[in-house]
Structures are given as C-alpha cells and as structure tokens.
Amino acid sequence: MYHPTVARLTYRALLGRRRAAVLFILPALLILIAVAVRTFNGVDDQIASDVLGGFALATMIPLIGVIAGTGAIGPEIDDGSIVYLLAKPVKRPTIIFTKLIVAISVTMAFSAVPTFIAGYILNGNGQQIAVSYTIAALVASIAYSALFLLLGTVSRHAVVIGLVYALVWETLFGSLIAGARTLSVQQWSLAVAEKTGGDGMITSEVGLPLAVVLLTGVTILATWYAGQKLRTLTLAGDE
C-alpha cells in the first residue's frame, strides 16, 4: 500500500521552498509566543495549557493540516500532472494511502514537535501538559491530513474550504456553539489528551470512547472516499 516513488515526489512537492517556508512560520510563531509568555509570566500551568490549546491545537495544527493535506494531491490535479501518475501501474488506493502517510508525517513534524518544545518552554512539562498536547497534536494530525487530502481530491477550492473549516468552524463556531464542538477534530484530540494531563488542566466536550470512534471513523472514511474519487477521476480521463 506504500509506494516509495510516489512518496518521494509528494515530499518534494510539499517541502519545496515556498511551501516549506509557510510550514515553518506557524511553528516558529508558537515557539516565539512560548518564549515571550515564559519571560513575562514565568511558569504557570494554566497559561501553558491556554497557549497550547488556544493557538497550537486550535489554529496552528489545522492550518498545517490544510497545507500538507491539500498540497499532497491538490496541485497535481489542478495542473493536470496527476494524469502522468495515474498512467503508471500503481493502484489508486496505493496512491492515496502513500500521499496520506506523507501528509501525516509532515503535519506531525511541523505540529507535534514544536508543540512539545513550546510546552516544555512554558512550564517544563508540569502537569504533563507538554506531553498531553503533543499527543493531541499527533492524533489530530492524522484526522486533519485525511480530511484535507479528501478535500484536495474532490475540490479545486480545497485550500479555501480547508481554511474556512479550520478558522471558522474549529476556531470560531467551536468556541461559541456547544453543538459544534462535538463535530470538531480539536475536541476529539483533546479528549485523548485529557487522560494524560493533570486534573482539570485539559478538558473536552467529547468523551474518550466517542472521540476515538470519531477520529478512527473520519480517518478511514475520508481515506476510502478519496480513493474512490481518484478512481472516478481516472475513468473520466479515460473517457
């Protein structure tokens, strides 16, 4: 299910100069914020949790997921170069699965690692905050990558739709409307992190069993449907 050549080409596309520069901006900003907060406020577990939850998990990780997930396949479909890949004797589910692995690894690298570093700067991992939010970042990276890879497969406006989801649904509606939080990758990942954090430091609107089911279901369904859409694209091209 994993194709090294497809992976190499996808990594090259995602980590090109322009896209890599964008990927580095948000992690660098998170670490800069962590240094500033630690300098002016000292060690404070609640502030550390607020920074990691409010910026890293709610804003940085979804945006990185948009860049990595849509960028893994969207540009190839837009410029037509996907035709050359589809002409190769590689199964369509293998293409999708390989691109998903690449998107997940890039999202994890640019989100989980800086989240841990920022958490350690903020309070030295007191109350297991740095580790807990790192776990949340890892879990969220998988679901976001699958969702945004699907968007890149089905729409030419995947980046715009992804940004609307990340900034409007996850950040705005998720903070104002209780029902929206149940359908939020952010809340699902927080449910996982809640079990490892200190008492009351991390909370989620979704219980852990439901969160695990939703994270797993969304990832599997999004990956499967992306594979089906790629099959349709092939058939349309043949016709």
Side-chain angles (χ1 to χ4, degrees):
M1 291 296 290
Y2 182 82
H3 197 283
T5 301
V6 174
R8 185 176 68 253
L9 293 173
T10 307
Y11 275 118
R12 184 182 301 173
L14 284 179
L15 300 177
R17 291 182 180 180
R18 188 174 302 176
R19 199 177 298 272
V22 176
L23 286 170
F24 273 108
I25 290 175
L26 289 171
L29 181 58
L30 173 63
I31 293 174
L32 182 62
I33 291 173
V35 171
V37 170
R38 175 65 184 267
T39 300
F40 291 107
N41 292 283
V43 176
D44 188 305
D45 294 340
Q46 187 58 57
I47 290 178
S49 182
D50 292 342
V51 170
L52 295 181
F55 182 77
L57 197 61
T59 303
M60 182 187 76
I61 299 172
L63 291 179
I64 291 175
V66 170
I67 297 170
T70 61
I73 197 170
E76 291 178 285
I77 294 178
D78 291 341
D79 62 22
S81 61
I82 189 70
V83 174
Y84 298 101
L85 180 58
L86 296 178
K88 303 297 182 182
V90 182
K91 294 180 179 179
R92 306 308 178 249
T94 297
I95 294 174
I96 290 296
F97 182 78
T98 301
K99 288 182 174 294
L100 175 62
I101 294 300
V102 173
I104 289 173
S105 63
V106 170
T107 306
M108 285 182 172
F110 284 90
S111 60
V113 174
T115 296
F116 179 77
I117 294 173
Y120 202 84
I121 291 172
L122 286 165
N123 75 335
N125 195 37
Q127 301 286 334
Q128 291 290 307
I129 289 175
V131 169
S132 297
Y133 276 104
T134 299
I135 293 172
L138 292 171
V139 171
S141 294
I142 299 173
Y144 281 131
S145 296
L147 280 173
F148 296 133
L149 178 65
L150 171 61
L151 276 179
T153 306
V154 302
S155 175
R156 291 182 178 273
H157 307 289
V159 174
V160 175
I161 298 172
L163 290 175
V164 169
Y165 174 83
L167 298 178
V168 177
W169 182 266
E170 289 275 12
T171 304
L172 181 59
F173 286 177
S175 63
L176 299 177
I177 304 174
R181 299 170 194 161
T182 305
L183 301 176
S184 166
V185 175
Q186 176 190 346
Q187 291 297 322
W188 304 344
S189 57
L190 279 174
V192 178
E194 185 179 4
K195 296 302 178 181
T196 58
D199 291 340
M201 298 306 303
I202 302 174
T203 59
S204 172
E205 299 291 330
V206 182
L208 181 59
L210 178 60
V212 172
V213 170
L214 291 172
L215 285 166
T216 304
V218 164
T219 301
I220 293 174
L221 287 175
T223 304
W224 173 81
Y225 192 61
Q228 295 303 305
K229 293 300 293 183
L230 199 59
R231 288 176 184 272
T232 304
L233 178 65
T234 304
L235 292 174
D238 290 341
E239 295 173 358

